[in-house]
Amino acid sequence: MIWNEEIECINRKELEEIQLKHLKNAVERAYNNVPFYRERFDKIGLRPEHIKTLKDIEKIPFTTKDDLRDNYPYKMFACPLKKIVRLHASSGTTGKPIVAGYTRKDLDIWSECVARIIVAAGGREDDLAQIVFGYGMFTGGFGLHYGLEKVGITVIPSSSGNSERQLMLMQDFGATIVVGTPSYVMYLSEIAEELGIPKKNFKLRLGLFGGEGHTESMGKELEERWGILATSNYGLTEVIGPGVSGECIYQDGMHFCEDHFYPEIIDPETGETKGYGEEGELVITTLTKEGTPMLRYRTKDITVLNPEPCKCGRTSLRMGKVLGRTDDMIIVKGVNVFPSQIESVLLETEHIGPHYQIVVRREGYMDSLEVMVELANRELVDNFRALESLEENIRHKLRTVLQIDAKVRLVEPKTLERFTGKAKRVIDLRKQE
Amino acid sequence: MFIKQISVFVENKSGRLADVTRNLGDNGIDLIAISISDTTDFGIFRLIVDLPEKAEEVLLKNGFTVSSTDVIAVSVKDEPGSLARALTVLADEMIDIEYMYAVGKNTKGAVVILKVNDIEKAVKVLEEKGIDVLPAEKVYSL
């Protein structure tokens, strides 16, 4: 089934006409309403009317996460707050989040895009979907929620946490779709196993996974454990949230909602545009977003775009799995973590040295984060309470900034590795799976 | 009167205790009492040695995280209830014991190392009650 056949199976020429029309509007709106964009354009003598073809998008300067941070909280908004009906936020590099504002129309478009992805993955009106994403400022919960309702699917908004209760609801309500991060859904299956709940008690048949990437082997494992089709979808708060692209039942790349989001692949070093099939950084321009329009937003995600028509009949570009990041961001339990966030906490903490090491592990199927720091003040050595409260203090501050729990480990001075060039602060042991 | 105790921060990884004691042994430093307390990822290795200044210097030079702390040593008779009598004196005076451990050498009675929150007062009240508080030189030469 295809949710919006007219657009999803459109011929590419027609799509490009729609994209160009939208792009011109988007540029005009951004230029006229967001001083940030106007300054960027004026600085290089670019005017909205210079955008005459889709190719002309390459004249527009990139927008980066730093730009969004510098304009926190409202300076990227292209309309007055009274037109904004929702705010979401994602973690930034310094503890200040990235803010996205949605007008009524933005929310409608968001639901439309998510609906396409749900139906592409095989979701139907008679399904019951349990959302085990956290609700709140994170776009995952609400994004999927409204898309599912738009399709007519019964939503069970159980949110994350309280795993035993999740499993009870899942059985009693007869959920057929599970929506969440792959690691949490994997964890749920382990809990179900521990509790001795037989597989036949569950009616799940489909998983809609996002918020973090997952390897093919983890997808297979999820499919086996739950007896589901495990599909991936992609999105980011900066451009809207989930709904940017998602896999169809053939699981061969994520179909891009190109009438609303214009994708490009660039060389992250030079900024030059790369062709289809070439690996590079994904750059997205929002074509219709009113609240917080993004022109050439650098996602920092490395992927490829595939223009071949899909077996499913959709003509949209398909985005490959995210192969990596251009920065050192790590995703732990579905939460973006930047080493710089951890560094800022450590630098303002007394009694420890400036060096640190971050170790990410997957214990079972749950991520864990450990931060190792060197004890610098030997005055504390004889004082157990001081050492433990130092660890506790760092843990608490990390929790405030990162929103997740980290294990803090004090180590002896000068034992952590020193780097002369670019520091490799993160040891991600999950990659060895 | 006070005894200098050496405390070493040790990570929970194999060989660290051996490293500390080897460094001391190589420098002719004699151990009089040792104690270790640990959490899951680090421990505090506490030592009474015959040459505390030298021990601290040697360990610092070899990259260990070391501090020194004043503690007292109490000699009690080797018979039931004698330690309790000494500790009761402290309790009656509201002096808290942060930690304590026993000397590992053969002595006539038993020698216990105490870290208290008010060391001067502790020595005073113990002596007033006739408890034998050992002077530093005596402990270092045990």
Side-chain angles (χ1 to χ4, degrees), chain B residues 97-120:
Chain B
I97 297 164
E98 286 171 28
Y99 53 82
M100 61 180 216
Y101 52 97
V103 168
K105 294 257 179 174
N106 280 324
T107 53
K108 271 188 207 136
V111 176
V112 175
I113 305 291
L114 293 165
K115 167 76 168 71
V116 292
N117 61 345
D118 186 342
I119 189 165
E120 272 152 42

mmCIF file of all heavy atoms in Angstrom, chain B residues 97-120:
data_model
loop_
_atom_site.group_PDB
_atom_site.id
_atom_site.type_symbol
_atom_site.label_atom_id
_atom_site.label_comp_id
_atom_site.label_asym_id
_atom_site.label_seq_id
_atom_site.Cartn_x
_atom_site.Cartn_y
_atom_site.Cartn_z
ATOM 1 N N ILE B 97 35.655 7.532 64.951
ATOM 2 C CA ILE B 97 36.744 6.793 64.309
ATOM 3 C C ILE B 97 36.401 6.677 62.827
ATOM 4 O O ILE B 97 35.330 6.198 62.464
ATOM 5 C CB ILE B 97 36.889 5.390 64.927
ATOM 6 C CG1 ILE B 97 37.263 5.546 66.401
ATOM 7 C CG2 ILE B 97 37.928 4.564 64.175
ATOM 8 C CD1 ILE B 97 37.054 4.297 67.206
ATOM 9 N N GLU B 98 37.294 7.171 61.977
ATOM 10 C CA GLU B 98 37.013 7.087 60.536
ATOM 11 C C GLU B 98 37.369 5.705 59.999
ATOM 12 O O GLU B 98 36.668 5.149 59.174
ATOM 13 C CB GLU B 98 37.750 8.197 59.800
ATOM 14 C CG GLU B 98 37.057 9.550 60.046
ATOM 15 C CD GLU B 98 37.828 10.741 59.525
ATOM 16 O OE1 GLU B 98 38.587 10.575 58.554
ATOM 17 O OE2 GLU B 98 37.671 11.824 60.111
ATOM 18 N N TYR B 99 38.472 5.183 60.463
ATOM 19 C CA TYR B 99 38.822 3.802 60.135
ATOM 20 C C TYR B 99 39.901 3.329 61.094
ATOM 21 O O TYR B 99 40.531 4.147 61.784
ATOM 22 C CB TYR B 99 39.304 3.648 58.684
ATOM 23 C CG TYR B 99 40.427 4.570 58.287
ATOM 24 C CD1 TYR B 99 41.748 4.261 58.603
ATOM 25 C CD2 TYR B 99 40.159 5.732 57.572
ATOM 26 C CE1 TYR B 99 42.775 5.107 58.238
ATOM 27 C CE2 TYR B 99 41.180 6.587 57.197
ATOM 28 C CZ TYR B 99 42.492 6.281 57.531
ATOM 29 O OH TYR B 99 43.512 7.108 57.172
ATOM 30 N N MET B 100 40.098 2.044 61.172
ATOM 31 C CA MET B 100 41.188 1.524 61.994
ATOM 32 C C MET B 100 41.622 0.171 61.476
ATOM 33 O O MET B 100 40.899 -0.499 60.748
ATOM 34 C CB MET B 100 40.748 1.412 63.458
ATOM 35 C CG MET B 100 39.592 0.474 63.689
ATOM 36 S SD MET B 100 39.220 0.470 65.457
ATOM 37 C CE MET B 100 38.778 -1.211 65.668
ATOM 38 N N TYR B 101 42.840 -0.193 61.792
ATOM 39 C CA TYR B 101 43.355 -1.503 61.411
ATOM 40 C C TYR B 101 44.488 -1.885 62.353
ATOM 41 O O TYR B 101 44.985 -1.051 63.107
ATOM 42 C CB TYR B 101 43.790 -1.535 59.943
ATOM 43 C CG TYR B 101 44.739 -0.424 59.519
ATOM 44 C CD1 TYR B 101 46.119 -0.641 59.477
ATOM 45 C CD2 TYR B 101 44.244 0.820 59.146
ATOM 46 C CE1 TYR B 101 46.977 0.361 59.060
ATOM 47 C CE2 TYR B 101 45.106 1.835 58.739
ATOM 48 C CZ TYR B 101 46.469 1.608 58.703
ATOM 49 O OH TYR B 101 47.315 2.602 58.306
ATOM 50 N N ALA B 102 44.861 -3.136 62.313
ATOM 51 C CA ALA B 102 45.827 -3.639 63.291
ATOM 52 C C ALA B 102 47.217 -3.726 62.685
ATOM 53 O O ALA B 102 47.378 -3.878 61.472
ATOM 54 C CB ALA B 102 45.395 -5.021 63.774
ATOM 55 N N VAL B 103 48.195 -3.597 63.539
ATOM 56 C CA VAL B 103 49.579 -3.724 63.105
ATOM 57 C C VAL B 103 49.899 -5.205 62.878
ATOM 58 O O VAL B 103 49.511 -6.061 63.668
ATOM 59 C CB VAL B 103 50.524 -3.118 64.170
ATOM 60 C CG1 VAL B 103 51.983 -3.492 63.908
ATOM 61 C CG2 VAL B 103 50.356 -1.602 64.186
ATOM 62 N N GLY B 104 50.584 -5.471 61.803
ATOM 63 C CA GLY B 104 50.824 -6.863 61.439
ATOM 64 C C GLY B 104 52.089 -7.462 62.044
ATOM 65 O O GLY B 104 52.458 -8.582 61.731
ATOM 66 N N LYS B 105 52.774 -6.698 62.883
ATOM 67 C CA LYS B 105 54.019 -7.225 63.461
ATOM 68 C C LYS B 105 53.731 -7.988 64.752
ATOM 69 O O LYS B 105 52.726 -7.753 65.416
ATOM 70 C CB LYS B 105 54.935 -6.058 63.805
ATOM 71 C CG LYS B 105 55.406 -5.303 62.595
ATOM 72 C CD LYS B 105 56.818 -5.689 62.275
ATOM 73 C CE LYS B 105 57.285 -4.934 61.041
ATOM 74 N NZ LYS B 105 58.679 -5.158 60.764
ATOM 75 N N ASN B 106 54.673 -8.843 65.126
ATOM 76 C CA ASN B 106 54.548 -9.492 66.428
ATOM 77 C C ASN B 106 54.904 -8.499 67.517
ATOM 78 O O ASN B 106 55.994 -7.966 67.570
ATOM 79 C CB ASN B 106 55.492 -10.689 66.519
ATOM 80 C CG ASN B 106 54.908 -11.886 65.811
ATOM 81 O OD1 ASN B 106 53.695 -12.082 65.840
ATOM 82 N ND2 ASN B 106 55.754 -12.655 65.157
ATOM 83 N N THR B 107 53.949 -8.195 68.336
ATOM 84 C CA THR B 107 54.220 -7.307 69.470
ATOM 85 C C THR B 107 53.710 -8.020 70.705
ATOM 86 O O THR B 107 52.956 -8.982 70.601
ATOM 87 C CB THR B 107 53.485 -5.965 69.306
ATOM 88 O OG1 THR B 107 52.110 -6.243 69.079
ATOM 89 C CG2 THR B 107 54.029 -5.167 68.143
ATOM 90 N N LYS B 108 54.089 -7.485 71.834
ATOM 91 C CA LYS B 108 53.665 -8.149 73.070
ATOM 92 C C LYS B 108 52.156 -8.102 73.218
ATOM 93 O O LYS B 108 51.481 -9.097 73.421
ATOM 94 C CB LYS B 108 54.357 -7.511 74.274
ATOM 95 C CG LYS B 108 55.685 -8.176 74.572
ATOM 96 C CD LYS B 108 56.266 -7.651 75.881
ATOM 97 C CE LYS B 108 57.781 -7.763 75.846
ATOM 98 N NZ LYS B 108 58.433 -6.556 76.349
ATOM 99 N N GLY B 109 51.599 -6.907 73.116
ATOM 100 C CA GLY B 109 50.147 -6.793 73.140
ATOM 101 C C GLY B 109 49.662 -6.747 71.705
ATOM 102 O O GLY B 109 50.218 -7.407 70.833
ATOM 103 N N ALA B 110 48.626 -5.944 71.457
ATOM 104 C CA ALA B 110 48.173 -5.721 70.090
ATOM 105 C C ALA B 110 48.261 -4.224 69.843
ATOM 106 O O ALA B 110 48.008 -3.436 70.753
ATOM 107 C CB ALA B 110 46.745 -6.204 69.927
ATOM 108 N N VAL B 111 48.674 -3.859 68.625
ATOM 109 C CA VAL B 111 48.751 -2.436 68.310
ATOM 110 C C VAL B 111 47.719 -2.131 67.227
ATOM 111 O O VAL B 111 47.657 -2.821 66.203
ATOM 112 C CB VAL B 111 50.166 -2.033 67.856
ATOM 113 C CG1 VAL B 111 50.185 -0.565 67.441
ATOM 114 C CG2 VAL B 111 51.162 -2.274 68.995
ATOM 115 N N VAL B 112 46.904 -1.116 67.508
ATOM 116 C CA VAL B 112 45.839 -0.765 66.563
ATOM 117 C C VAL B 112 46.065 0.668 66.077
ATOM 118 O O VAL B 112 46.363 1.555 66.867
ATOM 119 C CB VAL B 112 44.458 -0.897 67.252
ATOM 120 C CG1 VAL B 112 43.353 -0.425 66.330
ATOM 121 C CG2 VAL B 112 44.218 -2.338 67.672
ATOM 122 N N ILE B 113 45.942 0.847 64.768
ATOM 123 C CA ILE B 113 46.074 2.181 64.157
ATOM 124 C C ILE B 113 44.673 2.784 64.036
ATOM 125 O O ILE B 113 43.755 2.129 63.544
ATOM 126 C CB ILE B 113 46.706 2.083 62.747
ATOM 127 C CG1 ILE B 113 48.055 1.357 62.779
ATOM 128 C CG2 ILE B 113 46.816 3.471 62.105
ATOM 129 C CD1 ILE B 113 49.166 2.096 63.473
ATOM 130 N N LEU B 114 44.548 4.014 64.464
ATOM 131 C CA LEU B 114 43.228 4.668 64.441
ATOM 132 C C LEU B 114 43.300 5.990 63.712
ATOM 133 O O LEU B 114 44.220 6.782 63.933
ATOM 134 C CB LEU B 114 42.780 4.972 65.882
ATOM 135 C CG LEU B 114 42.457 3.816 66.806
ATOM 136 C CD1 LEU B 114 42.408 4.318 68.242
ATOM 137 C CD2 LEU B 114 41.123 3.209 66.421
ATOM 138 N N LYS B 115 42.313 6.233 62.865
ATOM 139 C CA LYS B 115 42.168 7.563 62.266
ATOM 140 C C LYS B 115 40.904 8.139 62.884
ATOM 141 O O LYS B 115 39.826 7.553 62.772
ATOM 142 C CB LYS B 115 42.033 7.456 60.746
ATOM 143 C CG LYS B 115 41.576 8.751 60.053
ATOM 144 C CD LYS B 115 42.707 9.775 59.965
ATOM 145 C CE LYS B 115 42.352 10.922 59.020
ATOM 146 N NZ LYS B 115 41.338 11.828 59.532
ATOM 147 N N VAL B 116 41.061 9.259 63.589
ATOM 148 C CA VAL B 116 39.912 9.847 64.280
ATOM 149 C C VAL B 116 39.684 11.272 63.783
ATOM 150 O O VAL B 116 40.558 11.868 63.158
ATOM 151 C CB VAL B 116 40.142 9.867 65.808
ATOM 152 C CG1 VAL B 116 40.146 8.461 66.370
ATOM 153 C CG2 VAL B 116 41.446 10.582 66.145
ATOM 154 N N ASN B 117 38.508 11.797 64.093
ATOM 155 C CA ASN B 117 38.211 13.135 63.585
ATOM 156 C C ASN B 117 38.886 14.245 64.411
ATOM 157 O O ASN B 117 39.094 15.329 63.923
ATOM 158 C CB ASN B 117 36.703 13.350 63.463
ATOM 159 C CG ASN B 117 35.993 13.223 64.794
ATOM 160 O OD1 ASN B 117 36.572 12.712 65.760
ATOM 161 N ND2 ASN B 117 34.756 13.671 64.864
ATOM 162 N N ASP B 118 39.225 13.940 65.672
ATOM 163 C CA ASP B 118 39.925 14.951 66.471
ATOM 164 C C ASP B 118 41.109 14.281 67.151
ATOM 165 O O ASP B 118 41.002 13.741 68.259
ATOM 166 C CB ASP B 118 38.955 15.557 67.504
ATOM 167 C CG ASP B 118 39.585 16.725 68.257
ATOM 168 O OD1 ASP B 118 40.843 16.837 68.243
ATOM 169 O OD2 ASP B 118 38.835 17.506 68.868
ATOM 170 N N ILE B 119 42.216 14.329 66.465
ATOM 171 C CA ILE B 119 43.356 13.518 66.885
ATOM 172 C C ILE B 119 43.972 13.995 68.208
ATOM 173 O O ILE B 119 44.334 13.190 69.069
ATOM 174 C CB ILE B 119 44.387 13.433 65.730
ATOM 175 C CG1 ILE B 119 45.502 12.424 66.022
ATOM 176 C CG2 ILE B 119 44.959 14.783 65.380
ATOM 177 C CD1 ILE B 119 46.315 12.047 64.802
ATOM 178 N N GLU B 120 44.064 15.328 68.394
ATOM 179 C CA GLU B 120 44.671 15.830 69.633
ATOM 180 C C GLU B 120 43.868 15.458 70.873
ATOM 181 O O GLU B 120 44.389 14.997 71.880
ATOM 182 C CB GLU B 120 44.883 17.337 69.546
ATOM 183 C CG GLU B 120 46.236 17.647 68.912
ATOM 184 C CD GLU B 120 46.284 18.975 68.195
ATOM 185 O OE1 GLU B 120 45.736 19.955 68.737
ATOM 186 O OE2 GLU B 120 46.854 19.004 67.083
#
